Amino acid sequence: MIILVSIVLLLGITIFFYIRQPKFGKAPSGERLEQLQQSPNYKDGQFRNIRHTPNFSGDQSPAKIFFNFLFKKVPRTRPVDEIPFLKTDLKNLPIHENVLVWFGHSSYFIQLNGKRFLIDPVFSGNASPVPNSNKSFNGTDVYSADDMPEIDYLLITHDHYDHLDYPTIMKLKPKIGHIVCGLGVGAHLEYWKFDPGKITEKDWNESMFISNNITLNTAPARHFSGRSFSRNNTLWLAFILQTKELKLYLGGDGGYDTHFAEIGEKFGGFDLAILENGQYNQAWRAIHLLPEEGLQAAKDLKAKRLFPVHSSKFKLAHHPWDEPLKTITEMNEQGDQIPLVTPRIGEVVYLNDTTQVFSKWWEGIN
């Protein structure tokens, strides 16, 4: 009994000191905490979704779900072959071209009306605060912070490790002009010595004007947040980039709900919707989209094209690595089709070219 108690005590002490590393960030406090507590989306000590959102859905207990996540064996959750990619020279893209370049999972670069945006970059090769615990697939780490040009706006949808990656952010630091994120996320960034004057924290349904006739809007999402044991002390959100010619919906993470239709009505549709499609499970469908829900969300948003992301780089769920793209493509072909944007990592997507064709690059990869 003494040995068991000693082991538990030692483990607790180890965890206590481990989570004090800078990569875990800092919880909002002081004036920042007082300000975010005024948000209509902050209730009873944490941010809340519009509607009740359980962490787990279905009839399985949390213990059973956790056990399956750790020990259940599912074939092909990681590819054996290298993921195909292109190495585009981002620094020399013609500045007048409106383009998007995907880096796998939910990281991508957008050049719009001469401004450069970087969304949820993860270039460290790991989607976890524990080293080498969730390594990226072969072929997905061809881009690094060194490959990025000067970034006018870094957009962070929420503070989970597969979207806010400490090693990546620190390497990008000299290149970042301004950061826009949800309420409370600025606490992490200031703790990491970012200039507070370069950080803008937003609530849902807010907007800011960016030069060159670009407006950046925020919108609700159905998800959660947290980097250690504290949950929902920072806000998760979606972004909308709007010019006279283009409207882009940048969805981040989040489950299906009525907010997609409401946003579609509010903005009158979108030229492109970027929605998560991957790392899903029936047990947590309230906070992540299933493929069929992604298609419906795109229709609710009145999107002309759909770019499914959140796949093809990390294993965060028990499904074959290529299932998300394979399934959403097959479902789309069987119904009222919406053009899918499915580039390879590094392939340039021309935002003004609605006729651009993409391959089913995942086919034939083991």
Side-chain angles (χ1 to χ4, degrees), residues 132-194:
N132 299 315
S133 60
N134 199 318
K135 297 176 69 174
S136 53
F137 301 160
N138 291 335
T140 63
D141 275 327
V142 294
Y143 287 90
S144 70
D146 292 337
D147 296 311
M148 298 299 114
E150 296 294 313
I151 300 299
D152 296 296
Y153 290 89
L154 174 69
L155 308 182
I156 301 296
T157 62
H158 62 296
D159 68 2
H160 286 158
Y161 297 100
D162 59 324
H163 293 259
L164 179 58
D165 182 53
Y166 173 74
T168 299
I169 295 298
M170 296 308 291
K171 289 181 180 178
L172 284 169
K173 195 173 184 179
K175 298 185 176 186
I176 298 171
H178 202 87
I179 305 173
V180 186
C181 54
L183 293 174
V185 177
H188 301 311
L189 300 167
E190 286 193 37
Y191 180 52
W192 298 336
K193 307 302 181 184
F194 278 84

Side-chain angles (χ1 to χ4, degrees), residues 93 97-100 305 348-354 356 358:
L93 285 171
E97 290 188 341
N98 294 332
V99 297
L100 181 153
R305 294 195 293 173
V348 176
V349 177
Y350 295 95
L351 296 173
N352 295 101
D353 183 5
T354 59
Q356 186 177 3
F358 302 92

Side-chain angles (χ1 to χ4, degrees), residues 211-239:
S211 61
N212 292 8
N213 298 314
I214 304 171
T215 301
L216 178 65
N217 306 278
T218 61
R222 192 184 190 194
H223 200 52
F224 68 107
S225 67
R227 290 180 74 83
S228 56
F229 296 113
S230 297
R231 295 283 293 264
N232 300 339
N233 60 349
T234 64
L235 186 64
W236 51 98
L237 42 69
F239 291 106

Side-chain angles (χ1 to χ4, degrees), residues 24 36 57 64 87 90 208 241 284 337:
F24 288 92
L36 67 80
S57 308
K64 179 68 172 178
K87 193 64 184 287
L90 301 175
M208 59 184 288
L241 278 172
W284 54 79
Q337 292 191 34

